[in-house]
Amino acid sequence: TVIMMMMMMSGAPQIWQLSDVTKDGCLSLEEFLTAMHLVVLRRNEIPLPEELPVCLRPSNLRHSVIDRHNKVS
């Protein structure tokens, strides 16, 4: 997508990786808002987190993504 390409070229692949919670290559509205929050952090020279804190995960995805990662295969 255009947004993904712009983020990658701007040196912000970490922002994309953190905000694409579903890892589907697209940002939902909530994932996009998370990405914009991370952009503001970076612009204000605040270090980005290594992994996205639960409080920044899209509310509709918090439990399903956590559950998926906690399942034992």
Side-chain angles (χ1 to χ4, degrees), residues 9-69:
M9 291 189 319
S10 71
Q14 183 183 9
I15 292 174
W16 184 272
Q17 292 167 354
L18 288 169
S19 55
D20 185 11
V21 175
T22 57
K23 306 299 181 213
D24 62 358
C26 299
L27 297 181
S28 67
L29 176 59
E30 287 193 37
E31 289 172 320
F32 176 77
L33 295 174
T34 298
M36 294 301 98
H37 176 76
L38 295 172
V39 166
V40 170
L41 291 179
R42 177 166 279 177
R43 289 188 67 153
N44 288 311
E45 298 181 12
I46 298 170
L48 296 178
E50 298 256 336
E51 74 177 46
L52 196 63
V54 174
C55 63
L56 289 180
R57 291 184 187 143
S59 59
N60 64 330
L61 300 173
R62 278 186 196 148
H63 299 293
S64 62
V65 172
I66 292 169
D67 291 344
R68 188 174 358 153
H69 288 290

Side-chain angles (χ1 to χ4, degrees), residues 3-14 16-17:
I3 294 172
M4 183 170 113
M5 295 297 290
M6 287 172 50
M7 282 188 172
M8 294 299 186
M9 291 189 319
S10 71
Q14 183 183 9
W16 184 272
Q17 292 167 354

